[in-house]
Amino acid sequence: MAATPSAQYSLTLRVEIAHRPGMLGRVASAIGEAGGTIGAVDLVQVERDHTIRDITVETGDASDWPRLTEAVGAVSGARVLDTTDRTFSLHVGGKIEIRNKSPLKTRDDLSMAYTPGVARVCRAIHEDPDKAFQYTIKRNTVAVVSDGTAVLGLGDIGPRAAMPVMEGKAMLFKEFGGVDAFPICLDTRSVDDIVGVVRALAPAFGGVNLEDISAPRCFEIEDRLKASLDIPVFHDDQHGTAVVVLAALLNSLRLTGRVIGDLRIVVVGLGAAGVAVTRILLEAGARHIVCCDSHGAVSVDRADYLDGSMPSVKRSVAAVTNLERRSGAVVDVIEGADLLIGVSGADVVPASALARMNPEPIVFALANPDPEVSPEKALQYVRILATGRSDYPNQINNVLCFPGVFRGALDVRAGQITESMKTAAARAIAEIVGDAELREDYIIPSVFNREVAPAVAAAVAAEARASGTAEAGAELGFGSTEEFGAIPGR
Amino acid sequence: MAATPSAQYSLTLRVEIAHRPGMLGRVASAIGEAGGTIGAVDLVQVERDHTIRDITVETGDASDWPRLTEAVGAVSGARVLDTTDRTFSLHVGGKIEIRNKSPLKTRDDLSMAYTPGVARVCRAIHEDPDKAFQYTIKRNTVAVVSDGTAVLGLGDIGPRAAMPVMEGKAMLFKEFGGVDAFPICLDTRSVDDIVGVVRALAPAFGGVNLEDISAPRCFEIEDRLKASLDIPVFHDDQHGTAVVVLAALLNSLRLTGRVIGDLRIVVVGLGAAGVAVTRILLEAGARHIVCCDSHGAVSVDRADYLDGSMPSVKRSVAAVTNLERRSGAVVDVIEGADLLIGVSGADVVPASALARMNPEPIVFALANPDPEVSPEKALQYVRILATGRSDYPNQINNVLCFPGVFRGALDVRAGQITESMKTAAARAIAEIVGDAELREDYIIPSVFNREVAPAVAAAVAAEARASGTAEAGAELGFGSTEEFGAIPGR
């Protein structure tokens, strides 16, 4: 699969091409023969006997590049002057920046934004700390916190190497939710330290998005932060995934006319995502779930449960799932299942095992970049297939969830993101797909569907209001102040 | 002094004014008589029998506003519809935001900025952590860290109330230095916790600006962070002030033809700024300095030095100053001084005491907003007077220092900001004032002089390079990478 040309491996070649008929065609052919797909072709310079062009080429892997460069160089009359790795180029200097929201050009600007005028604003917040939501970035700012221990499929790569992901996350927050997010990558793995640091940082932030922190530490960190902070704390790897899985499931049920309580479900993988998916499914009414970890089906009959060596998070899952106390590997418990949800690793389920599921089964194989079962092979066995990848239909991607969830929570100044707010988010995502559009290969909207985040935000805010999680008066929003008279919105 | 109209107390009145000759004049007169200074007058709406205007008025204090509003309302044919506190209005929702540096509109954008392409960048940094300076925001991002214990003249107002100042600081960093600064206001006062938190945060940042942390904790926090981090740590209340004081002094010496080693100096106030000013003056060659705290002149003969109760920072100052072991209050040791530097509080020096200084003395009275001695009264006694205020000549303001210092340090990826880099910054600030311009009331450039920060940055970078503080190769800057071929700068 690595051979499919993709933008992530796109290379810009700066090529000097002699003025001879058919030269560009020959260069293009050489690129095609070397396995590259040409994107933009830009003219850089025209000289008397040659032109210089930037040719952007998507390839299947960076290992294709030397071959590609050689192939172009081998064309008589063409010379490669330079190559640019577009992905690395995009990351140079980082991907986000700070911008001032008002000018700072005159002494008057300075005396209002900074000294001496700022003292009046400080004093107002000191007298009523709640005003921090009115007069500081707190109202719209989320910390994206990671320790770099479970980054994408890369694992424990540390805080510095995790930064490009957290910056990317901040971009998504801004682009889709209008939320100002700042990446906080922590140079510590101690649960106590991480909890302490995030608690200390809280004054500047209106919410905390935990990200790529390895299990089981992520559970304790989230629980302790939720208990001690008055702003939402949301571990996206758990709840973002769970919300989007539920959204995809709701639409699968809608399409197939099934009922969640009747569904026989197997969850493969009991890390952060697996635990959260299991919980949201139970919350949504699922009754027959068997969860598997690397030792097979988890149950209260399993030896590590009985001898007390099973970690507490898994114990709590074991206690409320697998009521039939089934045992065995995934290929065993898959027998008779209607829905398989993979949140584990590449190729842990042989495609042939899907034949043992009930008729017209649903499979969400979400391991990234390589799913639990090959989509090409799985398709013959299943009615609905979803993955975490953008190059297959039905991409289950957290981007559908977190920008809208935080947008909604910040808008009503929710103190937390409750189970019912998550369920509301899942419903909102599912409802974006209209009845007329709903099909086996379209159960979930595209990550670029601009309707999703506002719909999720509205649903989350409404649920927070209805359940009393929103702060009274927070919805007055911009412009409400009692300092002196009214302050029209800016 | 509170009566001088200023933008910090500016109010916008939305007034409905009847269509009658001379009406606007009558409204303006009423505003003037009530003590307001009219700025902009904007037309909002024109109706058949009236117009609606926004009149922006600077006043001396917010307590003037009810009187002002009443005065306008008392004009026959005028009606105040609404009032807006412009300073609070400017702060609504905070003053800075996050912006994406590249678009995120297509699947290709996503696959390069985020998954799956970002994994390649993460892997490169994991293999060589130094590449964080190349491919993340670290290269241009500074943490502005405070615990809110010593904010402006307001004192210990806590982290939430300190945020508007730290956001303002971030604005100044961006506006003058092009530095992305993010405010980190910590909900802890423990030295151990603050050191721990900042160390944990370091991966995302290229520098740390400590701000408004009370003495003596600020000294230990800075020392411990400097010892453990490989990025610059700079407590601006200390070093920013010290650098700008030295700049002002260098120009005072240039103007008066004096030599620093001969100068008899009294420093009033031994908080963060006083200690740092004393240190930089000694570094610059001063030999006769007497420092005063609230108990008077500090010396190795003083009872609290002898009995060991004097805090260690003051002990270290006592050990290298006041070689004549003078004792007494400020008004005593001021006798025979050439230079008085106040970094303490309002009105601690009676103007008449300045008569006891040597002829043509220099006085820097930097307490804000109210100086150690009234400028109006001091002027008759002194040759050169500087304050921290913008409404008198010679404003000594840290804004002249920190944006350029961090710009220069980040540009060459300096691991620290050394004494010689600070001195270089002071010289650069002083040199902005040309020989032909130098006068008693112009010894320091304006905070809005756009030449200052680039000059400071260049001087700091050059000094870092010369002294080996800069990271080898850092100056290659954008575009240097060995990933694959060359990456032209973006």
Side-chain angles (χ1 to χ4, degrees), chain B residues 81 86 110 130 143 171 204 230 237 288 341 351-352 369 409 442 446 457 468:
Chain B
L81 302 178
R86 288 180 67 227
L110 194 64
D130 220 41
M171 290 180 83
D230 60 356
D237 304 281
H288 312 292
I341 300 175
S352 58
Y442 185 45
S446 153

Side-chain angles (χ1 to χ4, degrees), chain B residues 425-436:
Chain B
R427 282 210 196 89
I429 296 168
E431 283 164 11
I432 293 287
V433 181
D435 287 334

Side-chain angles (χ1 to χ4, degrees), chain A residues 145-156:
Chain A
V145 177
S146 183
D147 61 357
T149 50
V151 181
L152 306 176
L154 303 170
D156 184 0

Side-chain angles (χ1 to χ4, degrees), chain A residues 8 83 85 89 120 486 490, chain B residues 8 83 85 89 120 486 490:
Chain A
Q8 63 165 316
T83 57
D85 178 334
S89 175
R120 296 173 52 218
R490 291 174 52 228
Chain B
Q8 64 166 312
T83 58
D85 178 333
S89 175
R120 297 174 51 220
R490 292 172 52 227

